[in-house]
Amino acid sequence: MRGNERDVVIIGGGHNGLVCAFYLARAGLRVTLLERRAVVGGAAVTEEFHPGFRNSTASYTVSLLQPKIIADLKLYEHGLRIVERRMANFLPLPDGRYLAVGEGRTKEQVAKFSARDAGRLDSYHQRLGAVSDLVRELMLETPPHMTGPGLLASLPELFKAGKLARRLGALDLAAQRDLLALLGRSAGDYLDDWFESDPIKAVYGFDGIVGNYASPYMAGSGYVLLHHLLGEVNGKRGAWGHAIGGMGAITQAMAKACAAQGVEVRLAAPVREVLVEKGRASGVVCENGETVRARAIISNLNPKLLFDKLVDPAVLPEDFRARMASYRMGSGTFRMNVALSELPRFACLAQAGDHLTAGIIIAPSLGYMDRAYHTARDKGWSENPVVEMLIPSTLDDTLAPQGAHVSSLFCQHVAPVLPDGASWNDHREEVADRMIATVDNYAPGFAASIIARQVFTPLDLERVFGLTSGDIMHGRLELDQLFAARPVLGHGNYRMPVPGLYLCGAGSHPGGGVTGAPGHNAAREVLKDLGR
Ligand SMILES: Cc1cc2nc3c(=O)[nH]c(=O)nc-3n(C[C@H](O)[C@H](O)[C@H](O)COP(=O)(O)OP(=O)(O)OC[C@H]3O[C@@H](n4cnc5c(N)ncnc54)[C@H](O)[C@@H]3O)c2cc1C
């Protein structure tokens, strides 16, 4: 290597780009990371949205971040602190009742609605736990690549596939059947088999529609439910927690880990093009015209954005191009941050308490979620939308002035693209008002307590974060876009069809969420190819 030439250029400084950069630099490679925005972190950032009020701008709660990555990058030593919610979930109901879910209280709470359901909770968790343990083990592995040329090249992949088959075989038959059901069926069908009362099905079923523009009764939502159970907080499996300082605290700690390994991070440095010479990715051209050359080019962008905008279609195999054209994106997400003069008071539980630290789900039943989805397909959004609300300032006093609060509204089931040619630019405020009114129905006075708000329609998520169609997962988590087929069968091992070009973002295995796993796995494959 001579002069300013780099070993690796990473396009995009989302958390996966940072994780990938860290591992490569730790192995001794010269790494340059180019981020379009003025801040690293991608969808995992904390920003001030009103004077004195900061919040996780997009992604807002932590669970999936891999313990190995936390340890390798020494994120705690770089200042990260993750705390548990004092209650996992809170579901206010229109009839004035509520369901509180969390350690030590779920059974008693579910019994208010169904003694039978309360009695089934332990075996539900035990059975789901067996399946999620297996899938969790695969997160830091590269899926088998069974399309290599010749038997010799295929041997390691056959071994990998064999290992996977052995793991599956080690599950008891009930767990194998559960896995099949979750992969093939809907979250709603799965939960209907277990429970009879609506509230517990709504709390658990919400995981099946998070970032998933689909009815909970659509096939595929079973896997999305499972995906949201693959994490942990401080060793508690399936739990969700809060990073003190917001999600940006995670990526700022990652940036420090990168700096300690000598990664060169350039901000406000958008890349215009991946340079391909003699059939190989050899560098990138930045918007300012500068060319940065390297032996490996790694993209943290969602695959559609990468191949639509940065790679010359002429260098791609025709079938790959066609598959990417039909790669499915669009998570139906509408995201708001609000500054509050006071804490909300829920009609069903007015006094402040642990429930204000919970993921507060406004969607009382699976049927409600199903209707919200179908209405959105028809009209763009529903008058009765699904809203998850968090008030992170109840756990973290660094986000708002004393006595005031910030809240994240994570709203599901708006159309990624509005019907009949309508534009999100014309409906942003109207839909934001609807989301606030929905919360206000359950917590009267909420609307009046709002000092300021920040609103992201799917179009805004695309503009600000580069999330095509506002897809928070970099592509739908559906069977033909998962594991060895993420983003496309034959490229599940992070290697793209142009030699020297790799994917390290959530559009590769194991998909979306703040996991760090795609970045970790991609780095391992790049190191192999560069002979490290
Ligand atoms: C609204 C919302 C809520 C979410 N909530 C949660 C949650 O609570 N918990 C959770 O675990 N996950 C959540 N997610 C999902 C999770 O945040 C993402 O799946 C994850 O952050 C993706 O990380 P990434 O590093 O792969 O990509 P990204 O974070 O998308 O990073 C890609 C980076 O590439 C940059 N970039 C784009 N184009 C260029 C270019 N031309 N040149 C240079 N750089 C470029 C972008 O600016 C960005 O920084 C949420 C996402 C959103 C949007």
Side-chain angles (χ1 to χ4, degrees):
M1 196 176 60
R2 292 175 308 278
N4 195 32
E5 193 169 304
R6 313 299 294 171
D7 292 308
V8 176
V9 167
I10 298 183
I11 313 169
H15 82 284
N16 277 313
L18 292 166
V19 169
C20 191
F22 166 84
Y23 284 108
L24 295 172
R26 193 181 69 170
L29 297 179
R30 299 212 322 187
V31 181
T32 290
L33 181 148
L34 303 167
E35 166 55 40
R36 183 178 60 99
R37 296 192 75 208
V39 57
V40 288
V45 284
T46 304
E47 291 166 293
E48 188 175 65
F49 66 98
H50 184 69
F53 292 84
R54 298 185 313 135
N55 200 15
S56 306
T57 316
S59 166
Y60 59 98
T61 180
V62 60
S63 173
L64 302 171
L65 183 61
Q66 295 295 294
K68 174 177 189 293
I69 291 170
I70 294 177
D72 287 350
L73 274 72
K74 300 189 170 54
L75 295 184
Y76 294 142
E77 287 159 48
H78 288 298
L80 178 63
R81 192 153 75 85
I82 296 174
V83 296
E84 291 162 44
R85 301 173 184 174
R86 292 198 290 274
M87 180 190 291
N89 288 107
F90 179 67
L91 184 88
L93 295 169
D95 65 5
R97 295 185 295 169
Y98 64 83
L99 174 68
V101 169
E103 223 178 340
R105 57 177 117 214
T106 311
K107 222 182 255 184
E108 176 200 328
Q109 284 277 320
V110 170
K112 295 192 300 193
F113 301 92
S114 162
R116 176 182 176 272
D117 287 357
R120 306 199 76 186
L121 282 167
D122 285 344
S123 65
Y124 173 80
H125 287 297
Q126 182 252 319
R127 293 262 298 269
L128 209 51
V131 176
S132 51
D133 283 351
L134 173 100
V135 180
R136 186 180 292 116
E137 279 178 26
L138 304 178
M139 288 182 82
L140 290 182
E141 294 191 6
T142 299
H145 176 71
M146 299 306 294
T147 60
L151 184 62
L152 204 60
S154 296
L155 274 179
E157 303 301 323
L158 280 170
F159 178 73
K160 226 190 268 175
K163 212 168 113 190
L164 178 63
R166 267 206 313 281
R167 277 181 181 153
L168 277 169
L171 285 181
D172 68 29
L173 194 56
Q176 289 183 30
R177 288 172 175 156
D178 286 339
L179 178 62
L180 194 59
L182 284 160
L183 290 178
R185 301 178 67 195
S186 75
D189 286 338
Y190 187 75
L191 289 162
D192 283 348
D193 284 348
W194 275 99
F195 303 114
E196 62 184 12
S197 59
D198 280 336
I200 192 63
K201 286 194 271 184
V203 168
Y204 290 162
F206 176 73
D207 277 343
I209 61 149
V210 170
N212 182 22
Y213 185 48
S215 159
Y217 284 101
M218 279 164 62
S221 53
Y223 173 74
V224 179
L225 184 154
L226 189 59
H227 190 83
H228 287 98
L229 296 176
L230 298 178
E232 61 173 71
V233 173
N234 300 336
K236 291 192 182 147
R237 295 212 153 160
W240 287 80
H242 173 74
I244 297 294
M247 297 299 275
I250 298 173
T251 45
Q252 287 303 314
M254 287 175 171
K256 285 184 191 154
C258 284
Q261 297 296 338
V263 174
E264 181 197 17
V265 173
R266 295 196 209 163
L267 298 176
V271 171
R272 187 172 70 203
E273 187 189 334
V274 173
L275 203 59
V276 179
E277 295 167 318
K278 296 185 184 147
R280 212 187 143 77
S282 57
V284 298
V285 184
C286 300
E287 285 290 356
N288 66 7
E290 185 189 352
T291 297
V292 185
R293 291 182 183 278
R295 294 197 283 155
I297 312 302
I298 308 177
S299 170
N300 185 193
L301 278 49
N302 78 68
K304 195 138 184 110
L305 180 63
L306 172 69
F307 291 108
D308 273 5
K309 298 277 195 290
L310 270 66
V311 179
D312 177 358
V315 303
L316 298 172
E318 197 180 322
D319 188 65
F320 181 87
R321 222 164 48 212
R323 303 280 164 185
M324 276 324 301
S326 57
Y327 183 72
R328 291 185 309 287
M329 299 199 64
S331 57
T333 305
F334 191 97
R335 178 77 172 82
M336 297 176 66
N337 293 302
V338 290
L340 301 174
S341 59
E342 60 178 15
L343 283 172
R345 276 184 290 277
F346 282 85
C348 59
L349 186 58
Q351 68 274 27
D354 290 354
H355 63 297
L356 298 181
T357 72
I360 300 166
I361 299 170
I362 298 186
S365 66
L366 295 174
Y368 177 104
M369 298 177 203
D370 178 63
R371 285 189 294 281
Y373 167 71
H374 286 290
T375 313
R377 294 255 341 184
D378 225 26
K379 301 188 174 131
W381 63 88
S382 167
E383 288 301 299
N384 296 300
V386 177
V387 180
E388 188 190 23
M389 172 185 188
L390 267 87
I391 314 166
S393 49
T394 56
L395 293 169
D396 180 351
D397 61 10
T398 70
L399 300 174
Q402 209 182 356
H405 286 274
V406 290
S407 174
S408 309
L409 302 185
F410 186 51
C411 314
Q412 309 291 313
H413 290 352
V414 302
V417 176
L418 289 174
D420 305 323
S423 164
W424 271 115
N425 284 333
D426 302 325
H427 295 281
R428 181 180 297 107
E429 302 308 322
E430 175 188 358
V431 176
D433 288 343
R434 178 91 304 270
M435 300 306 177
I436 287 169
T438 302
V439 177
D440 199 75
N441 275 341
Y442 288 84
F446 175 71
S449 73
I450 294 178
I451 301 165
R453 70 189 196 186
Q454 180 184 41
V455 183
F456 295 97
T457 66
L459 184 61
D460 300 322
L461 292 173
E462 175 159 341
R463 280 184 190 139
V464 176
F465 298 104
L467 297 166
T468 302
S469 304
D471 195 314
I472 74 168
M473 303 291 192
H474 284 204
R476 296 184 60 81
L477 298 177
E478 290 173 340
L479 213 48
D480 67 333
Q481 298 190 166
L482 284 177
F483 198 51
R486 193 164 184 86
V488 170
L489 191 63
H491 298 284
N493 63 1
Y494 309 93
R495 295 173 181 85
M496 296 298 104
V498 181
L501 179 63
Y502 302 81
L503 196 63
C504 75
S508 50
H509 171 74
V514 178
T515 68
H520 167 278
N521 299 349
R524 183 180 52 223
E525 298 307 315
V526 173
L527 287 173
K528 272 187 214 161
D529 289 359
L530 296 188
R532 299 283 176 139

